[in-house]
Amino acid sequence: MTVGTGSPAQARSTAPHAPEPPPAPDSTGHAPEPPCAPDSTAHAPEPDAAAHTPEPPSVPGAAPGAGQAAPSHPSFDAGLGIDPDDLPDGLVVADETGRIICFNAAAGRITAVPPAAALGRPLDEALPLEDLKGSRWWPLTDPYGGLATRRGQPERNLLLPGGREVLVSARYVRDHPNGPVRRLVVSLRGTEARRRNERSHAELIATVAHELRSPLTSVKGFTATLLDKWERFTDDQKRLMLETVDADAGRIKRLIAELLDISRIDSGRLEVRRQPVDIAAAVGRHVHAHTAGGQSPDRFFVRVRPDLPELWADPDKIDQILGNLLENAVRHGEGTVTIEVAPTTATTDGEKGTEVTVSDEGPGIPEESMGRVFTRFWRGSKRGGTGLGLYIVKGVVEAHGGTITVGRGRRGGAEFRFILPVGTPAHLL
């Protein structure tokens, strides 16, 4: 291992729109209300003593007094100018008679029902939802004739004709507690995001199960052999088999730890127990572990810049970051592995931090793959691994308030750089 030092590194209101003319009656004789129409039960304000001439509607960013054409949906809020079609989720509103008065564009996209075809129709006809058992949902929940204490329905997976799945939740709007339902507000969401999440979990389970199978088979085989034929083996043979069992048990332990880390990262529950960390010494320990494992000391070059700030971090998680990055560089890279530790500016507000760069001289990472390096199951080669290590590294770095990037090193190989703020506890500031 070569150690070098050098100079410190350089741091790196609109008003409501005019209503549209009422639409012509449909074939049923009912004139559908405009999408998301204001409450028909609302009362006009009492006239003031002095008559005022109403000002034309304003456009955000326009000169005062400039008007605009009325949109297909009146604004929810006169101050914000929110249009139902701006919402990312589907919105359906039915009046006290159960007829649809609002059906936004997202609802049309999710259900494949044109908004114009839904407006004015009874809710159970425009959205004939069924649960997964085949029961019709509207008669089952009975929003207008059911319990007066009910406030709505939690989100659940329902089916439209043709098997289209939607996530549906409902809110019952009443003028007073236990009163009749005045408005029924239904939220619709597509199931694509949930399906992607389920596929990701299924892929995670399949990957980990596959990785666990090999060491578990080895552990089971060697222990069964030793128990059945203990007297037939020499001490050296027994020691070799037990060492193999110990190594495979360690591999299983690491896989389980990865699963727990992913669970904590995804749920935002990854805890960081900060204490002073000598990151230069941590780098030295990991390099020594590789050389003790058979790597040539000349394969590593460590450069520690002077004037490093005191770093408060979780030492176990710092070891996890360094161990993963160095293992990737040794396994997938070539030539000299360079580790550089330098002071830097960690945040835009000038907070000090520590920058660690790990690079190699191998073929590097293809440009088109750089955006996927920190995602689950990404593998730079087919030489083993679960593809979860860099995903965990990114989550651990970000849990410390830091950042990590990947690029091409000066000698052509992959270069990983992470920056950690000093993280001094508030009670010490």
Side-chain angles (χ1 to χ4, degrees), residues 26 28 30-33 98-102 115-123 126:
D26 59 13
T28 63
H30 298 280
E33 299 183 41
R99 292 186 175 275
I100 295 176
I101 59 174
C102 178
L119 290 171
R121 295 179 62 192
L123 190 61

Side-chain angles (χ1 to χ4, degrees), residues 6-82:
S7 59
Q10 292 290 331
R12 310 206 225 302
S13 109
T14 63
H17 302 296
E20 294 183 345
D26 59 13
S27 59
T28 63
H30 298 280
E33 299 183 41
C36 294
D39 188 354
S40 59
T41 62
H43 299 286
E46 294 292 335
D48 198 356
H52 297 280
T53 302
E55 297 182 2
S58 61
V59 180
Q68 65 177 7
S72 59
H73 293 284
S75 297
F76 278 151
D77 184 282
L80 297 177
I82 299 175

Side-chain angles (χ1 to χ4, degrees), residues 173-408:
V173 180
R174 307 175 190 270
D175 286 327
H176 53 83
N178 302 332
V181 174
R182 181 173 61 85
R183 287 288 185 268
L184 179 62
V185 182
V186 181
S187 174
L188 304 174
R189 291 196 301 138
T191 59
E192 292 82 5
R194 176 174 291 186
R195 287 187 178 279
R196 284 195 300 269
N197 194 36
E198 291 174 350
R199 283 196 298 269
S200 177
H201 284 132
E203 189 175 357
L204 175 62
I205 292 171
T207 300
V208 173
H210 175 76
E211 293 293 326
L212 285 172
R213 181 181 300 170
S214 176
L216 282 174
T217 301
S218 173
V219 168
K220 177 62 177 175
F222 279 118
T223 54
T225 301
L226 286 171
L227 288 172
D228 292 341
K229 303 176 182 179
W230 179 267
E231 296 81 4
R232 299 186 184 183
F233 297 107
T234 66
D235 289 345
D236 288 340
Q237 289 173 327
K238 293 174 184 177
R239 184 177 187 85
L240 178 61
M241 285 189 280
L242 288 174
E243 287 175 348
T244 305
V245 168
D246 181 68
D248 286 333
R251 182 179 169 189
I252 294 172
K253 183 180 178 181
R254 288 194 299 274
L255 284 170
I256 294 173
E258 285 184 350
L259 278 178
L260 292 174
D261 286 336
I262 288 174
S263 173
R264 295 185 183 112
I265 290 170
D266 289 346
S267 62
R269 294 185 293 106
L270 188 66
E271 295 183 1
V272 175
R273 296 179 173 86
R274 295 183 184 271
Q275 55 185 282
V277 174
D278 187 343
I279 195 165
V283 169
R285 288 197 307 272
H286 283 275
V287 170
H288 177 74
H290 281 281
T291 56
Q295 293 292 330
S296 170
D298 293 334
R299 181 150 191 211
F300 299 93
F301 178 78
V302 179
R303 178 186 291 117
V304 179
R305 303 288 187 180
D307 302 324
L308 292 178
E310 184 179 35
L311 176 65
W312 286 75
D314 189 318
D316 292 336
K317 291 180 171 52
I318 294 299
D319 282 337
Q320 191 175 16
I321 296 169
L322 293 173
N324 197 293
L325 294 181
L326 263 66
E327 183 178 353
N328 278 350
V330 170
R331 178 184 295 179
H332 305 293
E334 298 174 3
T336 302
V337 176
T338 302
I339 306 101
E340 184 170 351
V341 184
T344 188
T345 301
T347 59
T348 55
D349 59 4
E351 182 183 8
K352 293 182 179 179
T354 300
E355 176 185 88
V356 180
T357 305
V358 179
S359 60
D360 61 74
E361 299 174 351
I365 299 171
E367 198 72 31
E368 62 273 12
S369 298
M370 294 225 176
R372 305 195 308 271
V373 167
F374 297 108
T375 60
R376 287 186 185 181
F377 311 119
W378 183 85
R379 299 181 185 182
S381 70
K382 297 181 180 179
R383 286 181 276 179
T386 60
L388 300 173
L390 290 176
Y391 176 81
I392 294 173
V393 164
K394 183 174 185 290
V396 172
V397 169
E398 291 178 347
H400 282 82
T403 58
I404 184 168
T405 57
V406 61
R408 186 169 293 278

